[in-house]
Amino acid sequence: TELQANKMTIQGDLTQRGDFNINGNTLYVTENLRHSEGSLLIKGGNPFINGDYINSDMSIDANGKIAHNFSNGVLRMTWKNDYMYIGGNCYITTRNQQYLTEGIMEIKGNFEDYYGRGYNDEGVKASGNHKVIFSGSSDHMINIYEASRGRDYLNIVEIQNSNNVNIVFWNAYNAAQTICDGSLYIESHN
């Protein structure tokens, strides 16, 4: 499916279970974007997600605990002017997420790459000019399971509001470049 309208607003959650091309347009999602199958191709577009970007097949058990199960959804940011805004958290549980080569992903919350926990596949492998900006006003948790083995990594990471927030890494931190706008407090739990 290709977004044809210049601007589209989805009131509530959007669930994606197939290929979706934003194609240079603007997509507003007032809650969460749940992406469990197919490719989400930004292609010069601008998705604005007020809630979480959940690139997983999410389930909730009888006690209300959320599980992020592995998915076949692939996020593709390969155009220079790709821009993705995530007002909440970013959860990725898909393998071989290597199509993050251009554009900017801005995240107000946490970043978690669950793929690779004891498996041979790899998760996030950002490269080229792809940048992740953490711009929230509270602490950010960055959890990349296979970072310590060098198999999963971010490319360019920019920390905004760094004088007011802490960065907490639950595993090793692996990025080609880190930029911050002040002093930076890093706490590691690996």
Side-chain angles (χ1 to χ4, degrees):
T1 304
E2 186 173 301
L3 183 60
Q4 298 292 326
N6 188 30
K7 289 183 184 177
M8 176 184 271
T9 300
I10 305 294
Q11 297 291 333
D13 288 343
L14 172 62
T15 300
Q16 178 190 341
R17 294 195 179 271
D19 293 339
F20 186 61
N21 183 352
I22 297 188
N23 197 30
N25 296 304
T26 302
L27 173 68
Y28 295 98
V29 179
T30 62
E31 297 294 330
N32 304 311
L33 172 53
R34 302 177 194 281
H35 174 202
S36 62
E37 296 177 21
S39 290
L40 176 57
L41 181 62
I42 307 302
K43 200 173 181 184
N46 306 113
F48 291 89
I49 304 157
N50 282 340
D52 297 337
Y53 171 66
I54 305 165
N55 179 242
S56 73
D57 195 7
M58 192 176 87
S59 63
I60 302 173
D61 68 14
N63 297 320
K65 185 176 179 191
I66 296 174
H68 294 282
N69 306 307
F70 300 119
S71 81
N72 292 314
V74 176
L75 174 61
R76 294 177 184 263
M77 294 184 74
T78 58
W79 289 50
K80 182 179 179 179
N81 54 344
D82 288 355
Y83 175 80
M84 182 175 192
Y85 172 87
I86 302 168
N89 300 317
C90 179
Y91 301 101
I92 295 180
T93 61
T94 189
R95 66 178 175 203
N96 298 321
Q97 191 66 274
Q98 60 199 8
Y99 302 103
L100 302 176
T101 59
E102 293 290 338
I104 296 172
M105 176 188 290
E106 181 175 352
I107 303 172
K108 292 289 187 181
N110 301 323
F111 180 92
E112 297 192 54
D113 170 25
Y114 287 95
Y115 209 88
R117 294 177 292 182
Y119 299 91
N120 291 324
D121 288 318
E122 300 162 342
V124 172
K125 298 176 89 54
S127 62
N129 296 308
H130 188 265
K131 180 192 284 190
V132 176
I133 298 174
F134 291 96
S135 62
S137 57
S138 61
D139 294 353
H140 293 285
M141 181 183 70
I142 302 173
N143 191 355
I144 302 175
Y145 278 93
E146 290 295 321
S148 63
R149 295 183 189 180
R151 290 173 28 173
D152 293 2
Y153 44 83
L154 298 174
N155 188 43
I156 302 167
V157 174
E158 181 176 331
I159 312 294
Q160 296 179 351
N161 304 320
S162 63
N163 287 326
N164 301 317
V165 301
N166 297 321
I167 305 299
V168 179
F169 298 105
W170 280 98
N171 287 290
Y173 177 65
N174 194 355
Q177 181 181 6
T178 304
I179 304 164
C180 71
D181 63 359
S183 60
L184 184 61
Y185 176 77
I186 296 176
E187 180 180 335
S188 180
H189 291 272
N190 57 2

